[in-house]
Amino acid sequence: MKNNNTYVYIGRFQIPHLGHEAVMEHAIKSSNEVIILIGSANSIRDSKNPFTYEERKEILTNITNRLCKQYNPQANVIILPLNDFNDDNRWTAEVYDLIYSHTKNKNITITGCQKSGDVSTFYLDLFPDWKQDFIKEVKISGFDVISSTKIRELYFNNQEIPQVISLDTLHFLDCFKIKNLHIFNSFNN
């Protein structure tokens, strides 16, 4: 059931996987306005952030277009860059500025997945004035935890990636390897 809130989803998406997609699906099913902030947008390529903001936006645009077509054709999905700061207050202010410069809606819901024992999701609690609507951690048979870190390791070591990424992501990764072999090889352990 759709509500009048704008849903906000923040992530690095360094490689988008089915857990990320489940959150996007939840947001698109729940609201007609979804804003996705791609973190570490200003980071240079390294083993933790091998893909640029533009590359990640391309993948997420393909995923969200498919999800909107399937679940909510009226949904408006906005994808924006979010830079890193070494200061939580400055970073939080940047998130507020980005959101309120792209929506007039004051009813904001932050969404994501609060993984048990994962300190990397602490930022979800930095917005006490927003509602929270989190999904449960996505479990896939044969894969303990869906982890972008593990997927990156497999990908850059030319190993098969288990079925924890969408065809949109897989297609991007296949094309990236062909078009950017020198970059791919620079991360190959």
Side-chain angles (χ1 to χ4, degrees):
M1 171 175 1
K2 287 172 217 30
N3 61 50
N4 292 326
N5 289 7
T6 296
Y7 269 59
V8 173
Y9 182 29
I10 304 169
R12 282 188 25 253
F13 310 106
Q14 286 282 8
I15 292 176
H17 53 64
L18 295 181
H20 295 130
E21 186 168 327
V23 175
M24 289 181 256
E25 179 181 321
H26 173 71
I28 288 166
K29 285 179 173 178
S30 300
S31 177
N32 284 333
E33 185 172 51
V34 177
I35 300 175
I36 300 173
L37 301 181
I38 299 179
S40 302
N42 59 339
S43 295
I44 59 168
R45 286 190 203 269
D46 63 18
S47 59
K48 186 176 177 184
N49 296 295
F51 303 105
T52 66
Y53 160 74
E54 291 81 10
E55 291 163 343
R56 292 174 285 155
K57 181 179 180 183
E58 176 187 333
I59 301 168
L60 296 187
T61 298
N62 291 334
I63 292 170
T64 57
N65 284 346
R66 176 175 44 80
L67 293 173
C68 286
K69 184 184 270 188
Q70 186 173 357
Y71 297 111
N72 183 3
Q74 290 78 36
N76 177 32
V77 177
I78 301 166
I79 301 174
L80 302 169
L82 175 62
N83 293 325
D84 284 344
F85 298 97
N86 289 329
D87 176 338
D88 287 346
N89 291 327
R90 192 169 166 209
W91 182 84
T92 303
E94 176 78 1
V95 170
Y96 280 121
D97 287 348
L98 282 168
I99 297 307
Y100 291 121
S101 67
H102 285 84
T103 185
K104 293 179 178 159
N105 193 348
K106 299 300 180 204
N107 298 316
I108 306 295
T109 298
I110 190 162
T111 191
C113 176
Q114 282 192 313
K115 302 177 211 166
S116 56
D118 183 354
V119 296
S120 72
T121 58
F122 77 94
Y123 66 90
L124 294 171
D125 292 323
L126 295 177
F127 307 94
D129 50 328
W130 291 351
K131 293 178 182 157
Q132 296 182 339
D133 185 9
F134 304 129
I135 69 164
K136 292 182 179 176
E137 192 169 357
V138 174
K139 301 286 187 186
I140 294 181
S141 177
F143 213 72
D144 291 339
V145 175
I146 303 175
S147 160
S148 289
T149 302
K150 181 65 176 167
I151 296 168
R152 284 193 308 274
E153 289 171 3
L154 293 170
Y155 174 66
F156 286 112
N157 285 301
N158 278 311
Q159 295 176 336
E160 185 177 340
I161 299 172
Q163 294 183 337
V164 295
I165 60 173
S166 69
L167 290 177
D168 303 292
T169 302
L170 184 60
H171 176 73
F172 171 85
L173 293 175
D174 288 345
C175 290
F176 181 86
K177 191 185 301 187
I178 292 166
K179 293 178 186 175
N180 301 287
L181 189 59
H182 64 289
I183 296 170
F184 178 85
N185 286 335
S186 72
F187 294 118
N188 192 311
N189 296 328

